[in-house]
Amino acid sequence: APVPAWVPTGCRSGVVEVERSVTAVLGQDVVLPCRYRAQEQEQVVQVTWLKRGPAGRSAEVAVLNQQHGEHVQEPYVGRVLWRADGALEDGAIILKN
């Protein structure tokens, strides 16, 4: 499953909250939840989802950047939707089909 990577700013970092396990049904959409509980004066500027592959290697799935917008890698183009609009503290995605 994709693993979210957060880029926090500031000295102390907040907490990333994810589900330990998410069940998906083949052919249906699935929500991959991820929330960042920021510390005071901290702001999330980018969310990166990675897919962990064999031998611990990771491949980028999607990036949402505050300034540069959204970038989704093949073969996920058209299959990744950001669940929340606005603040990047909610970095959950919907993976279609």
Side-chain angles (χ1 to χ4, degrees):
V3 176
W6 294 89
V7 182
T9 61
C11 298
R12 297 186 325 159
S13 60
V15 178
V16 176
E17 298 176 344
V18 294
E19 297 292 327
R20 186 168 181 84
S21 176
V22 175
T23 301
V25 177
L26 187 64
Q28 294 186 11
D29 299 352
V30 63
V31 175
L32 301 178
C34 184
R35 175 167 285 282
Y36 185 75
R37 293 207 181 270
Q39 294 288 325
E40 214 175 301
Q41 304 299 317
E42 193 176 35
Q43 181 182 10
V44 178
V45 296
Q46 180 171 300
V47 177
T48 302
W49 278 87
L50 305 170
K51 181 177 181 184
R52 188 177 301 143
R57 292 185 178 156
S58 294
E60 187 177 284
V61 173
V63 176
L64 183 61
N65 184 284
Q66 192 176 49
Q67 288 186 317
H68 304 291
E70 176 183 317
H71 178 74
V72 179
Q73 296 283 353
E74 290 288 350
Y76 301 98
V77 173
R79 293 186 55 213
V80 173
L81 300 173
W82 297 96
R83 185 176 68 176
D85 291 328
L88 296 184
E89 282 77 14
D90 183 356
I93 59 172
I94 300 167
L95 188 58
K96 298 182 71 57
N97 191 16

